[in-house]
Amino acid sequence: EVQLVESGGGLVQAGGSLRLSCAASGFTFDGRAIGWFRQAPGKEREGVSCINISGGSTYYADSVKGRFTISHDVAKNTVYLHMNSLKPEDTAVYSCVSDFVTTTTMCRHPDYEYIYRGQGTQVTVSS
């Protein structure tokens, strides 16, 4: 079965850290961009961070630069989002997507219908 599965969300206090995982099954990330998006209630979906493992390019939204890091484990076919110095405004449902586009295109167009999209994981940051 072809799917993306996110995990690692939860409740954390402001200033804390979480690591989200996006595991792919049924396909590999070769040549594809993988992106982390988030959507808070009443707000538009936002492209948080994107990576192209083959090309090495990464993209970060200004709101998370210096706090979030995207990485990957080729052997596990998994992409991670390391989130540090979390703020209450980071509270959202985080989901990952993958498709054959550039990292910039993916992160700047979070409302495109990408080929693969996970179900999402909730991140809640308390003040």
Side-chain angles (χ1 to χ4, degrees):
E1 183 181 4
V2 176
Q3 61 179 352
L4 288 172
V5 178
E6 302 96 336
S7 61
L11 173 64
V12 64
Q13 289 188 331
S17 300
L18 283 174
R19 187 186 75 167
L20 305 184
S21 300
C22 172
S25 59
F27 72 101
T28 68
F29 290 134
D30 289 346
R32 302 174 185 268
I34 305 94
W36 282 100
F37 297 160
R38 67 184 180 187
Q39 189 164 21
K43 294 187 177 180
E44 295 184 349
R45 185 177 296 133
E46 176 187 15
V48 176
S49 182
C50 297
I51 186 171
N52 184 301
I53 294 172
S54 301
S57 62
T58 58
Y59 178 101
Y60 293 95
D62 288 341
S63 57
V64 305
K65 281 181 181 177
R67 299 188 299 122
F68 292 10
T69 303
I70 193 168
S71 68
H72 69 277
D73 185 324
V74 175
K76 295 182 178 180
N77 211 24
T78 298
V79 169
Y80 302 98
L81 185 67
H82 307 263
M83 306 187 296
N84 298 317
S85 302
L86 283 162
K87 305 174 181 180
E89 50 263 44
D90 293 319
T91 295
V93 174
Y94 286 70
S95 60
C96 62
V97 301
S98 186
D99 208 331
F100 289 108
V101 297
T102 67
T103 54
T104 301
T105 295
M106 177 170 281
C107 263
R108 289 184 177 179
H109 298 281
D111 289 328
Y112 281 3
E113 291 297 323
Y114 294 106
I115 291 177
Y116 301 125
R117 181 186 293 272
Q119 293 300 305
T121 184
Q122 176 71 45
V123 172
T124 303
V125 184
S126 63
S127 57

